[in-house]
């Protein structure tokens, strides 16, 4: 399972706009496990896209009827036989969206994002979570090149999470190898999948005067078809002049909690000043 690309997200939005309102609200209840209460079609579409693990998963939902996909393809000037089965239409739609290639390591890291922090943050999150989720034994995508090479040698990670009894626990890891291994264990050993909310309001980004870029993102945590909870994660990024001037991860703060009661679409709780203070010695 992978995070949607912008092409897929935009396409899903257009397709969902073709659904009747009742079907749209019912689909929202299914995708979000009834945790997200919406009052408009726009809110429902945003929640459905944010909580779907992939475009393919969304297209295969029962409420996304064959006729709706057929109608969407027709609007996009894609000609398909009238008697096409739903699986054939799903395949055709995914092919249409696949012209937007996945974000690669080099695509993200060579991007000069200091002038466009919002774009940099979204691109980083798409790259990072595609990469991390691809390590899961449940992932329906090729395994990508995960490892300590994406982190500074003295990288640090603070992991906060709540137990079943709602006890807050904290773990700290220092060094590229340990940070990389702990994150890998979350998706490989614990079989978790992370779905960041890249739609509105999306990630929050801020740059310090010394070249540190902070990217904060919120999202949901899944295991197979279950939504286990929500997370908020902050990354500290610094360019490496000895590694083709690419961005590498210096700090990671990951706060995960089990979902209790009704939740809104996950959103970052830090403001810009709090982000800057987070990594100030």
């Amino acid at each position: 399972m992978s995070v949607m690309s912008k092409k897929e997200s935009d396409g899903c939005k257009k397709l969902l706009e073709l659904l009747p309102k009742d079907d749209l609200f019912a689909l929202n209840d299914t995708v979000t496990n009834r945790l997200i209460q919406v009052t408009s079609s726009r809110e429902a579409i945003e929640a459905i896209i944010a909580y779907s693990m992939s475009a393919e998963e969304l297209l295969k939902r029962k409420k996304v009827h064959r006729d709706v996909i057929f109608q969407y393809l027709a609007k996009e000037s894609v000609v398909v036989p009238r008697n096409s089965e739903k699986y054939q239409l799903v395949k055709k739609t995914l092919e249409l969206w696949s012209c937007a290639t996945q974000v690669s390591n080099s695509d993200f890291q060579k991007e000069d994002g200091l002038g466009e922090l919002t774009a940099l943050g979204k691109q980083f999150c798409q790259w990072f979570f595609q990469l991390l989720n691809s390590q899961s034994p449940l992932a329906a995508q090729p395994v990508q090149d995960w490892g300590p090479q994406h982190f500074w040698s003295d990288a640090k990670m603070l992991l906060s999470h709540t137990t079943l009894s709602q006890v807050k626990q904290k773990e700290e890891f220092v060094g590229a190898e340990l940070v990389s291994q702990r994150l890998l264990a979350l998706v490989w050993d614990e079989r978790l999948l992370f779905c960041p909310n890249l739609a509105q309001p999306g990630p929050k980004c801020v740059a310090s005067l010394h070249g540190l870029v902070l990217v904060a993102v919120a999202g949901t945590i899944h295991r197979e078809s279950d939504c286990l909870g929500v997370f908020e994660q902050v990354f500290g990024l610094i360019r490496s002049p000895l590694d083709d001037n690419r961005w590498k991860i210096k700090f990671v703060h990951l706060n995960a909690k089990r979902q209790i009661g009704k939740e809104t679409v996950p959103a970052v709780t830090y403001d810009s000043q709090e982000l800057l203070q987070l990594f100030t010695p």
Side-chain angles (χ1 to χ4, degrees), residues 50-225:
Y51 276 71
S52 293
M53 293 304 298
S54 69
E56 183 175 7
E57 178 205 46
L58 177 55
L59 289 174
K60 289 181 177 179
R61 294 282 187 181
K62 289 183 180 180
K63 288 295 182 181
V64 183
H65 304 296
R66 172 204 171 278
D67 292 347
V68 171
I69 303 177
F70 187 93
Q71 185 181 353
Y72 167 77
L73 290 173
K75 286 181 174 291
E76 296 296 314
S77 301
V78 178
V79 179
V80 292
R82 282 186 167 275
N83 61 348
S84 297
E85 299 287 344
K86 181 179 177 179
Y87 78 90
Q88 295 172 315
L89 298 178
V90 169
K91 181 180 179 182
K92 197 71 175 178
T93 305
L94 293 173
E95 289 174 355
L96 173 65
W97 294 339
S98 68
C99 60
T101 57
Q102 283 190 332
V103 178
S104 69
N105 180 303
S106 58
D107 288 338
F108 155 65
Q109 291 184 337
K110 291 182 180 178
E111 183 72 20
D112 183 4
L114 291 178
E116 295 291 342
L117 285 178
T118 300
L120 172 65
K122 287 186 177 181
Q123 192 176 19
F124 167 76
C125 291
Q126 184 182 351
W127 166 77
F128 178 85
F129 289 103
Q130 280 180 350
L131 177 65
L132 182 61
N133 286 335
S134 77
Q135 311 304 308
S136 170
L138 304 176
Q141 63 175 345
V143 177
Q144 299 180 40
D145 186 25
W146 176 265
Q149 68 272 20
H150 302 302
F151 301 83
W152 285 87
S153 61
D154 60 348
K156 295 181 181 180
M157 182 172 81
L158 179 63
L159 172 60
S160 302
H161 58 94
T162 53
T163 65
L164 286 172
S165 57
Q166 297 305 312
V167 175
K168 191 88 169 182
Q169 292 189 342
K170 291 187 178 182
E171 303 174 45
E172 189 170 352
F173 304 88
V174 179
E177 191 69 44
L178 287 178
V179 173
S180 172
Q181 288 178 359
R182 185 63 184 98
L183 287 167
L184 177 62
L186 292 174
V187 295
W188 178 258
D189 297 332
E190 300 179 40
R191 300 192 170 222
L192 302 178
L193 289 166
F194 293 83
C195 182
N197 178 19
L198 302 183
Q200 292 298 327
K204 183 174 292 185
C205 311
V206 62
S208 75
L209 296 176
H210 306 291
L212 173 68
V213 171
L214 303 171
V215 179
V217 65
T220 51
I221 305 171
H222 302 252
R223 181 182 289 127
E224 296 183 336
S225 61

Side-chain angles (χ1 to χ4, degrees), residues 232-243:
E232 186 171 14
Q233 194 160 0
V234 182
F235 301 89
L237 310 176
I238 300 177
R239 286 189 184 275
S240 174
L242 299 180
D243 191 12

